[in-house]
Amino acid sequence: KIPYLKSLGVTAVELLPIHEFDETDCPFSDPITGERHRNFWGYNSISFAAPKAAFASTGRTHGQHFEFREMVKAFHAAGMEVVLDVVFNHTGEGDDRGRTYSFRGLDNQLYYMQTPDGRYLNFTGCGNTLNCNHPVVRDLLMTCLRYWVGDMHVDGLRFDLASILGRDRRGNVLLEPPVIESIVEDGVLADTKLIAEPWDAAGLYQVGGFPFGNRWSEWNGKFRDDVRRFWKGDLGMAGALATRLCGSSDLYDRSGRWPRHSINFVTVSYTHLRAHETKANLVCRLLLEKK
């Protein structure tokens, strides 16, 4: 598909999560044949440094790492960048009713945010929330990020529900989250594009104010909302539309931040296939990033 994408003028592709996940976690079946549907959206990662074997023709012989690297090389040869969607806010283990793959069995209280009585804190809408700012978890995430950039040569990282990275083990919002600071200060990631989805499922909304923001681009949810309201004919939206098209100066004209920090998109949709467990992300994303 690379020649086709290049003919459209595409200069970068963003891959939905390709970390290993369980495609059999979909609860729905074909009403006619009874065949169980599979979930290939990938937003329930169970291994942050393993490419999905089923996506590779040589997956049965463990060739997925080689195939992924060769794919990235092919995009680069065509003058196109590769952005990887990383889901570090939760895992496919779900809540207390979910399957145990690794983290829950290794150290449940270390890897997941929990209440004092041991219930999972659910800031993701997916049943659990990764305890990102614990030193052990932070080291794991940084190791994985360095692998994808240093060994697999991806050009950018888009962090799903990135505001989760700014919470402590009890869910309190941190002013200078250690894991976000580690990402922005890391030498291996120095030339990597960092893109935050600057909100979470519990109401933390940081568009225009993501921590250490001069290093991050942000999904501009206000651009999406204002453009869509204008399109569907809401009254009084001309001024808001002009603000968005002129660079969202109300959000990005301060503290060394500029319109280039805004990722302007028109549509993105999330669908919960299983309550508190599975999140699917609509493939259609229109990115109007200014370069």
Side-chain angles (χ1 to χ4, degrees), residues 90 94-95 97 122 124-128 272 274-278:
H90 75 285
D95 58 17
R97 299 165 295 175
N122 186 10
T124 64
C126 301
N128 65 56
H272 289 273
R274 182 188 294 175
H276 307 305
E277 288 192 32
T278 303

Side-chain angles (χ1 to χ4, degrees), residues 23-31 35-39:
E23 69 269 22
T24 67
D25 69 353
C26 181
F28 304 115
S29 301
D30 188 302
E35 182 181 2
R36 188 76 170 266
H37 288 315
R38 296 195 178 191
N39 167 27

